Amino acid sequence: MANVDKIYLDSNICRYPHEVRQYGPYAGLAIDLVMWTAKETFIPSFRQNLALLLETPSVTFHAADFYGFFGHSRSSLLQPLSKGGLAIFAFRENHREEYGRCILDAILYSMSINSIGYLTKEYRVAGPARETRYILDTLKLFKQLVIARRERAYVRYTLQVNPDFVQNNHFQSQLVYLPDYVSLRTAGTENEPAGTSWTVGRFLYLRMRYAWGLWCTKENKSKNAFIENFDELKEIAGFKKTATKKAASLLRGYLAKVCALDSIPFTAQVNKVEASPKRQADGTQQDAYEVVLTKKPTQSQAEKEQRRQQQIQQQAQSEIRALNSKIRV
């Protein structure tokens, strides 16, 4: 397999990566499968023929290629379902024998049968100029899953991918740096010396890449600091029911690890701010926090140098135009 260091991923997914939890208990695998599909369906020359993006693409891959690419261990993906995994087949018991032999089978089945709901958020489908074509309440990523087996070590999957998702990966995407993404792992254990996928860290990494995309817009790119949404980060990290003070403390540590990566060009500070005067039902006031993103010195210096080079280039062009004008006179 060719060495791939970058993946273009739909901004909607980067903004709310944790929504893949709707597929069941194997959210870490689900988000990696979303990224894998984005990689497999990306067409570098798509601008030359946009009609290619209107088709419903089919993706075929081997289990070994997938878990090797994202640093999963074979034993963790091909093990029998947990109790939570069995719940995927609660109302489809007759499908379990074919699609529930292992964890990877089951999560792909769930992603092919179920949709992600965006009822309180939105899934924006973009056009070639990043314009909004329409808004979806739900998104079904995959369909028509087929599993081929010859022996335990050989498992091949084929599925069809929603064209809306594929088009967004081309028209409205964020650049994800795979080595940094895959490096976000839990501490090693005796059974898993290299650790396992750190799902929350990978979710936060995607959200930080989304934040950088917003930061780089014409309105924001000159700013040295940027404010992130604390409540959304809290939800992404799985702290929706955690006390705000504790969630803020945990987020500080998580964001410090994620923002230490080279592909995140800023740091993150979780700061307490003045609480709202509105009280909760028990009469207490909820602590309030904000997340302040600040460009790293290397990023600020690089941008400063880029502006200097642009000024030099503009000055040179002005001098050439002035000289040409004199020659014509």
Side-chain angles (χ1 to χ4, degrees):
M1 177 180 294
N3 181 30
V4 178
D5 288 334
K6 301 174 184 178
I7 293 175
Y8 292 90
L9 184 62
D10 180 356
S11 288
N12 295 287
I13 302 296
C14 291
R15 184 180 185 183
Y16 300 121
H18 63 299
E19 293 298 342
V20 297
R21 291 188 179 119
Q22 296 180 46
Y23 289 128
Y26 311 123
L29 285 180
I31 195 62
D32 287 353
L33 285 164
V34 171
M35 288 185 60
W36 173 268
T37 309
K39 176 187 74 71
E40 291 293 293
T41 55
F42 189 77
I43 303 172
S45 59
F46 71 95
R47 291 288 178 188
Q48 299 173 16
N49 185 3
L50 295 180
L52 293 173
L53 302 180
L54 298 177
E55 302 174 358
T56 301
S58 178
V59 171
T60 297
F61 66 95
H62 294 270
D65 290 337
F66 168 75
Y67 59 71
F69 192 78
F70 286 100
H72 295 285
S73 68
R74 176 180 177 275
S75 59
S76 65
L77 267 64
L78 301 183
Q79 64 180 293
L81 303 187
S82 62
K83 186 176 180 179
L86 292 173
I88 293 173
F89 300 93
F91 300 102
R92 300 183 181 94
E93 186 64 32
N94 59 323
H95 290 178
R96 197 174 88 182
E97 182 177 353
E98 175 62 21
Y99 298 104
R101 296 190 186 185
C102 67
I103 287 175
L104 187 53
D105 290 4
I107 191 60
L108 275 168
Y109 171 79
S110 181
M111 296 173 77
S112 302
I113 293 295
N114 301 310
S115 299
I116 298 178
Y118 287 92
L119 301 180
T120 59
K121 299 180 176 71
E122 66 176 21
Y123 184 90
R124 188 170 73 91
V125 180
R130 298 181 72 90
E131 76 281 9
T132 300
R133 292 172 53 215
Y134 46 85
I135 304 292
L136 297 178
D137 291 333
T138 61
L139 176 72
K140 188 172 184 180
L141 277 173
F142 307 145
K143 65 179 182 179
Q144 297 185 10
L145 173 66
V146 176
I147 305 175
R149 300 181 180 87
R150 282 211 297 264
E151 54 190 57
R152 181 169 175 78
Y154 178 93
V155 185
R156 186 183 67 206
Y157 302 100
T158 300
L159 46 82
Q160 291 188 351
V161 186
N162 189 326
D164 287 334
F165 169 69
V166 174
Q167 290 169 33
N168 272 354
N169 290 326
H170 293 76
F171 298 146
Q172 181 184 250
S173 61
Q174 303 298 330
L175 192 58
V176 176
Y177 292 82
L178 188 71
D180 279 357
Y181 176 87
V182 172
S183 73
L184 293 166
R185 306 180 67 81
T186 61
T189 64
E190 184 177 347
N191 294 330
E192 297 280 0
T196 58
S197 168
W198 181 31
T199 301
V200 170
R202 294 184 178 188
F203 284 169
L204 290 172
Y205 176 84
L206 295 179
R207 176 60 180 236
M208 293 298 99
R209 290 301 303 172
Y210 170 79
W212 182 241
L214 287 183
W215 203 337
C216 289
T217 59
K218 184 178 180 180
E219 300 80 13
N220 297 318
K221 62 182 180 181
S222 62
K223 298 177 181 177
N224 191 56
F226 194 76
I227 305 298
E228 246 288 18
N229 188 310
F230 172 77
D231 290 332
E232 289 190 356
L233 290 177
K234 180 181 172 183
E235 181 181 339
I236 289 169
F239 299 146
K240 195 171 183 178
K241 297 182 179 180
T242 304
T244 304
K245 185 176 182 180
K246 182 178 180 181
S249 178
L250 292 170
L251 266 177
R252 284 191 188 98
Y254 289 1
L255 288 172
K257 291 180 181 178
V258 172
C259 292
L261 298 171
D262 290 342
S263 58
I264 304 297
F266 51 81
T267 60
Q269 294 291 327
V270 181
N271 301 326
K272 190 173 183 179
V273 295
E274 186 176 350
S276 168
K278 185 178 179 180
R279 295 182 178 273
Q280 300 181 83
D282 61 1
T284 61
Q285 285 183 299
Q286 180 86 342
D287 290 334
Y289 293 85
E290 68 176 10
V291 179
V292 181
L293 311 180
T294 305
K295 289 178 181 176
K296 294 177 180 177
T298 52
Q299 179 64 29
S300 296
Q301 183 61 36
E303 291 180 3
K304 183 178 179 180
E305 177 61 22
Q306 184 181 33
R307 288 193 296 269
R308 190 182 74 83
Q309 293 294 335
Q310 289 173 346
Q311 289 171 355
I312 292 173
Q313 186 177 14
Q314 290 170 359
Q315 183 178 355
Q317 290 173 348
S318 297
E319 291 174 354
I320 291 172
R321 284 194 296 268
L323 181 60
N324 288 337
S325 297
K326 290 180 179 179
I327 293 174
R328 284 196 295 269
V329 171

